[in-house]
Each structure stands twice: as C-alpha cells, then as structure tokens.
Amino acid sequence: KIYHKTPAEDAELRRMDIILEIGGNKVDRADDAQRIIDGAPVGQDLTLKVLRNEKEIILVVNPEDLAHKLHQIKEDTRQERENQLRKHKKQMLEGFQRNLEKHLKELQMK
C-alpha cells in the first residue's frame, strides 16, 4: 500500500510495483525493503529499481522522518471526525426542532 503524502507517493511508487533493489541492495522479501529503508539516511535520495508492468524502471525516493507527518495526519483525522460529529449533531437537533414545531402547530390547531 502506498500512503498519501509520503515519500513513496512522491517518488510515484504504485500499488502493484515490485521493488527489486533499493540503493543497490537486492530486495528478496518485504522485510528486506523495510530494513534497508529504515537504515537509510533521512533526506538523502535513494534509488529504487522497480518492476512495473513487466518492465524495470528506476525511481528516486527521499526518505524522511515520518513521525511528525504521522502525528499531523492523526490530528487532521481527529479534527475531521469531530467536525463530522458536530455536523451530525446539528442536523439531528434541527430535525428534532422541526418535528417539535410541527407537533406544536398541530396541537394549536386542535
């Protein structure tokens, strides 16, 4: 999976790409890729040899410290959920108010 707003997305890595090499190091398994990337210097370009649609291509990724970015993504997600909750509460209250006003009018007409 390629996460939004990450170095992998910036490098145009795609979901079905098969990573063959990272920085000249052969990748046989997913944990090889993770180990190499985790050990790469932050901010220094890293060359990826990738198999895409049966063709080898070269991509360049710039590893970065994602701790701050992940924190920001979590905060943005939390804010979005709070905003959605506020919106739903407002819609519910407006619906209750409309129903109450409707019933009050019906009672006044009797």
Side-chain angles (χ1 to χ4, degrees):
K1 181 172 180 164
I2 307 300
Y3 290 98
H4 185 58
K5 296 183 180 180
T6 61
E9 182 186 56
D10 293 343
E12 299 181 4
L13 197 61
R14 295 184 187 161
R15 184 173 171 260
M16 298 302 290
D17 286 350
I18 299 169
I19 300 174
L20 305 173
E21 290 182 10
I22 301 174
N25 298 302
K26 188 175 178 189
V27 174
D28 293 317
R29 301 184 319 242
D31 61 335
D32 290 339
Q34 191 65 51
R35 179 182 42 76
I36 295 167
I37 291 168
D38 286 347
V42 171
Q44 184 176 342
D45 285 350
L46 198 56
T47 303
L48 308 178
K49 184 187 287 187
V50 173
L51 186 63
R52 179 183 294 165
N53 300 324
E54 300 180 24
K55 295 178 183 171
E56 286 186 13
I57 62 170
I58 301 296
L59 301 175
V60 177
V61 66
N62 190 304
E64 61 182 62
D65 182 1
L66 294 178
H68 175 72
K69 212 174 233 190
L70 289 174
H71 175 74
Q72 188 62 48
I73 289 169
K74 286 180 184 178
E75 181 61 24
D76 291 348
T77 301
R78 186 187 65 75
Q79 282 286 347
E80 186 175 325
R81 285 182 186 152
E82 283 183 13
N83 291 340
Q84 288 174 349
L85 184 58
R86 280 190 205 104
K87 180 181 173 184
H88 291 305
K89 283 181 181 179
K90 182 180 178 187
Q91 289 172 342
M92 286 177 58
L93 288 173
E94 288 171 351
F96 289 142
Q97 185 175 0
R98 281 192 302 272
N99 285 337
L100 181 60
E101 289 170 358
K102 177 183 171 187
H103 290 299
L104 287 173
K105 283 182 185 178
E106 289 174 358
L107 288 172
Q108 289 173 351
M109 294 177 127
K110 290 183 179 182

